């Protein structure tokens, strides 16, 4: 089957760079499946799980906490804010970070600009997604 | 003429100095390897970020309501300098080089009648620049006691820069840091952050062709408004890592030199010590012989 190059990078390291058949990425407006020959796109990501298919089977699942993806016909580059393979997510750690994010959100007052509120809300949502992913794994 | 006891004392003290510098060299070498690996690991992200920014920037830069972080305020009056140095010394000319460069830049800008503000990262540069430019400081950040520089640290600095931009505190932001070329060579570098320099390829017609076909989800402006602060953080992160790696490289070289110098000094002192000892023995012999002859 046809393949395309999937690259997954976080600021701290390069996590994935190889030919795959399909990838499902958590775009801001809903999950998006990428196959070879996809129309060129740039999408923002929310917190969620990237699923990778190779040789007809799902081979890899990684959690990303938001970021961007650039899709072209032969390549998909994911710039994740933070990326962890699902297997190495810890539930306790995820719970702690959900709490932290929720506290940060609760601390926002009416005087703060709406963007800040929105950023904090997104953070809470992506941390919750992380917790759910950790629970499912 | 120093006495034998004095010489012995000095030899011992130089020997313990050599032990310390040697240990510091080893530690620096080990940390350098880690810092270098970290700096290299961050590179792919920065490269791809640049590529994305190039195609996005080209699409948005010409529109009148382009974000300020991309095109600046359109003026060139107030400058913010982010000066990155190490927190510790004993690394040869590493910190001085950056600080001196920052000083020259500040002098040049001020002689052109521009206002300068300084955000310093790292204790050493802050100490140097404070002496002369204390009134220009808007902030000081130090990672003293931190084992590893994380992306979140860079993000924090980026947030401060963005907040200053929103307050209208500056028009142009420049980053000054030591670029890590190799273990023995670090180059003080000036890099413009705001307005964001759009990579060359953006303007070329060959590249513009396929890029024009991109679909954006959500709209360009919205993606850009999150991409730009992120890019800022990445640039700062890269500078922090390069600074870190450069610091250990520089410290290793400095400590290697110090160890070698200490070795030379020990040799010289030992020679001196042996000569003095021999002179004393000869003198005593002469005294005994002439004493015996007199009897």
């Amino acid at each position: 089957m046809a393949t395309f190059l999937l690259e997954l990078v976080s600021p701290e390291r390069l996590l994935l760079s190889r030919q795959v058949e399909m990838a499902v990425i958590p775009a801001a407006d809903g999950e998006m499946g990428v196959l070879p020959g996809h129309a060129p796109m740039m999408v923002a990501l929310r917190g969620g799980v990237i699923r990778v298919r190779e040789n007809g089977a799902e081979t890899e699942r990684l959690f990303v906490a938001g970021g961007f993806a650039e899709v072209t016909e032969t390549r998909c580059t994911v710039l994740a804010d933070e990326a962890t393979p699902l297997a190495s997510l810890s539930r306790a750690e995820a719970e702690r970070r959900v709490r932290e994010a929720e506290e940060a959100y609760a601390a926002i007052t009416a005087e703060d600009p709406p963007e800040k509120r929105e950023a904090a809300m997104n953070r809470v949502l992506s941390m919750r997604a992380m917790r759910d992913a950790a629970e499912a794994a | 003429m120093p006495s034998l006891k004095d010489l012995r004392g000095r030899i011992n003290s130089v020997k313990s100095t050599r032990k310390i510098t040697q240990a510091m060299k080893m530690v620096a070498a080990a940390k350098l390897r880690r810092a270098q690996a970290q700096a290299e690991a961050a590179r792919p992200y920065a490269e791809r970020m640049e590529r994305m920014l190039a195609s996005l920037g080209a699409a948005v830069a010409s529109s009148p309501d382009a974000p300020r972080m991309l095109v600046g305020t359109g003026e060139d009056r107030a400058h913010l300098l982010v000066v990155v140095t190490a927190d510790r010394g004993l690394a040869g000319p590493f910190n001085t080089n950056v600080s001196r460069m920052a000083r020259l830049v500040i002098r040049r800008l001020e002689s052109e009648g521009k206002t300068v503000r300084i955000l310093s990262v790292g204790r050493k540069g802050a100490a140097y620049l404070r002496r002369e430019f204390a009134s220009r400081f808007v902030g000081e950040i130090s990672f003293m006691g931190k084992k590893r520089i994380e992306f979140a640290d860079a993000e924090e600095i980026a947030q401060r820069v963005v907040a200053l931009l929103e307050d209208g505190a500056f028009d142009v932001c420049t980053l000054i840091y030591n670029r890590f070329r190799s273990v023995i060579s670090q180059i003080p570098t000036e890099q413009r952050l705001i307005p964001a320099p759009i990579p060359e390829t953006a303007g070329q017609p060959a590249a513009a062709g396929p890029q024009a076909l991109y679909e954006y989800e959500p709209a360009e402006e919205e993606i850009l408004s999150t991409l730009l602060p992120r890019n800022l953080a990445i640039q700062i992160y890269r500078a922090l890592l390069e600074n870190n790696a450069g610091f250990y490289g520089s410290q290793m070289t400095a400590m290697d030199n110090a160890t070698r110098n200490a070795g030379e000094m020990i040799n010289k002192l030992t020679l001196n010590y042996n000569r003095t000892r021999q002179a004393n023995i000869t003198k005593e012999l002469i005294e005994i012989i002439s004493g015996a002859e007199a009897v």
Side-chain angles (χ1 to χ4, degrees), chain B residues 2-235:
Chain B
S3 74
L4 279 180
K5 188 165 178 276
D6 289 343
L7 280 171
R8 227 172 9 236
R10 281 185 64 192
I11 291 173
N12 279 336
S13 97
V14 177
K15 269 187 182 160
S16 39
T17 308
R18 184 173 63 173
K19 256 184 219 155
I20 293 171
T21 56
Q22 198 151 29
M24 278 181 84
K25 182 189 142 193
M26 310 272 225
V27 172
K31 288 194 172 168
L32 168 69
R33 219 166 310 137
R34 224 178 316 147
Q36 217 175 337
Q38 205 191 349
E40 267 156 29
R43 227 165 262 165
Y45 190 91
E47 278 164 14
R48 285 164 183 90
M49 177 64 95
E50 232 160 62
R51 199 169 60 197
M52 258 177 106
L53 200 65
S55 45
L56 260 176
V60 177
S62 47
S63 87
D65 52 345
R68 274 205 288 184
M69 220 181 287
L70 183 68
V71 293
T73 50
E75 286 180 49
D76 182 26
R77 264 189 325 215
H79 284 247
L80 176 73
L81 301 181
V82 182
V83 185
V84 183
T85 53
D87 284 320
R88 275 171 301 162
L90 291 178
F94 182 79
N95 291 315
T96 326
N97 280 348
V98 174
S99 306
R100 195 181 300 133
M101 179 168 184
R103 205 178 92 206
L104 290 178
V105 172
I106 296 169
R107 285 263 172 79
R108 194 191 68 218
L109 289 172
E110 290 198 333
S111 71
E112 287 167 9
K114 286 163 185 157
T115 4
V116 176
R117 290 190 167 80
I118 305 168
L119 177 63
S120 104
V121 182
R123 253 167 22 114
K124 285 290 164 186
Y128 181 100
L129 292 171
R130 246 192 208 292
R131 242 177 290 150
E132 222 173 316
F133 306 108
S135 59
R136 282 78 153 181
F137 268 66
V138 289
E140 217 181 302
I141 295 157
S142 151
F143 297 121
M144 203 64 184
K146 240 188 152 127
K147 273 231 168 80
R148 193 184 144 90
I149 293 168
E150 278 165 52
F151 183 62
D153 300 325
E155 246 176 343
E156 215 180 286
I157 299 173
Q159 270 161 16
R160 285 180 78 155
V161 173
V162 172
L164 284 169
L165 177 72
E166 276 164 4
D167 291 346
F170 66 90
D171 303 310
V172 178
C173 175
T174 314
L175 185 66
I176 298 176
Y177 68 104
N178 260 319
R179 199 155 54 80
F180 179 83
R181 203 178 66 183
S182 72
V183 177
I184 45 164
S185 147
Q186 294 85 32
I187 308 153
T189 314
E190 215 185 319
Q191 186 194 349
R192 202 180 51 164
L193 290 179
I194 298 171
I198 296 175
E200 286 296 307
T201 49
Q204 284 165 14
Q211 275 163 4
L213 296 171
Y214 272 111
E215 270 177 57
Y216 298 94
E217 184 192 305
E220 286 104 309
E221 286 81 8
E222 221 168 301
I223 295 191
L224 209 55
S225 71
T226 37
L227 193 74
L228 282 170
R230 188 138 280 272
N231 180 52
L232 193 66
I234 271 290
Q235 299 299 342

